[in-house]
Amino acid sequence: FTPPEGCDVATLNGLKLTKGNDRMKWQDFRFLNNSAHRAEDPQKEFMEVLETMQNLRFSPEEINAVWSCVAAILHMGNIEMDKTTFEPDGAPKDKAGKIKNEETARVVSELLGYTDPELFKFAIMNRVNFIGKEKMVTGKDKKEAESDLLSLAKQLYDNLFNWLVVKMNRTIEPENINNPSFSSEAKTIGLLDI
């Protein structure tokens, strides 16, 4: 991911990657604090990624969805549990613990397309089980809520990566690949990043 400094301010505002009138820095995101790579020229690198996406025939909606997904992941790393709503052993004091920085959770839910931000918070903070036809809702303990949030961020990143690989491979796939004589005419190469 190109650090936010490479993107224009209007796009950053839409992705909630600004603080007031300032661009957020990579240091503002917990998930990036352990990363060693820093872009030498963020604007240039961002434009290269954007141009590549356009050359690979990504629609404007797909490009925006990629940016929204990456921004949501970055913000997910900054969600904190409100320690005061959990017992010392981590169990929720009430029906469910709470998120300390609810505005960050609201931003994540908006970036992910939730129409009701409370649904995202509910999913992070609660466990739902069905016993027969009866629905049982119990609050997660602090460690489980944090672990589930991290797992969701990892899965979202994995799904995005896999979608990007499929999208790029389909874009570079020859038009006549399904022609029976294709295998004797040409060979192709696919994209994979390990």
Side-chain angles (χ1 to χ4, degrees):
F1 172 71
T2 302
E5 293 92 351
C7 188
D8 64 273
V9 175
T11 301
L12 292 174
N13 282 333
L15 298 171
K16 312 300 187 221
L17 296 174
T18 55
K19 283 183 180 176
N21 295 328
D22 297 326
R23 299 165 187 256
M24 294 177 79
K25 306 287 184 212
W26 64 267
Q27 297 94 332
D28 294 323
F29 300 100
R30 189 172 60 110
F31 284 164
L32 296 180
N33 284 330
N34 296 326
S35 177
H37 175 71
R38 298 289 166 249
E40 290 181 29
D41 186 347
Q43 185 67 37
K44 179 182 175 210
E45 288 186 25
F46 177 81
M47 294 311 292
E48 286 174 359
V49 170
L50 186 58
E51 184 180 338
T52 300
M53 293 171 92
Q54 291 166 341
N55 289 340
L56 289 169
R57 297 188 299 253
F58 281 62
S59 70
E61 293 79 17
E62 290 171 328
I63 293 170
N64 288 334
V66 169
W67 298 148
S68 291
C69 189
V70 171
I73 293 166
L74 289 174
H75 285 294
M76 270 187 211
N78 290 350
I79 292 177
E80 297 177 51
M81 302 302 144
D82 182 351
K83 293 176 187 172
T84 65
T85 63
F86 293 92
E87 297 290 347
D89 67 356
K93 286 185 177 178
D94 199 6
K95 292 181 181 180
K98 296 196 182 317
I99 293 173
K100 182 177 180 179
N101 48 348
E102 290 202 7
E103 177 60 19
T104 303
R106 188 197 61 72
V107 165
V108 170
S109 66
E110 182 181 318
L111 289 166
L112 293 178
Y114 280 78
T115 54
D116 181 358
E118 294 302 314
L119 292 175
F120 174 75
K121 292 190 292 188
F122 179 86
I124 298 301
M125 303 308 295
N126 294 281
R127 184 180 322 102
V128 179
N129 294 310
F130 287 90
I131 300 173
K133 293 183 180 182
E134 189 175 341
K135 178 176 158 181
M136 302 289 292
V137 177
T138 54
K140 295 176 185 175
D141 65 36
K142 183 175 178 287
K143 189 174 183 176
E144 183 181 11
E146 290 170 337
S147 176
D148 286 356
L149 181 63
L150 181 60
S151 294
L152 178 62
K154 287 179 180 179
Q155 188 63 55
L156 188 57
Y157 185 85
D158 185 57
N159 290 353
L160 175 62
F161 178 83
N162 290 332
W163 179 83
L164 287 168
V165 170
V166 168
K167 171 72 176 167
M168 288 184 279
N169 281 326
R170 284 188 182 150
T171 302
I172 65 171
E173 183 178 81
E175 291 179 20
N176 61 346
I177 195 166
N178 293 322
N179 184 328
S181 66
F182 180 78
S183 62
S184 64
E185 292 176 12
K187 301 295 180 207
T188 63
I189 190 166
L191 298 175
L192 175 63
D193 182 15
I194 297 176

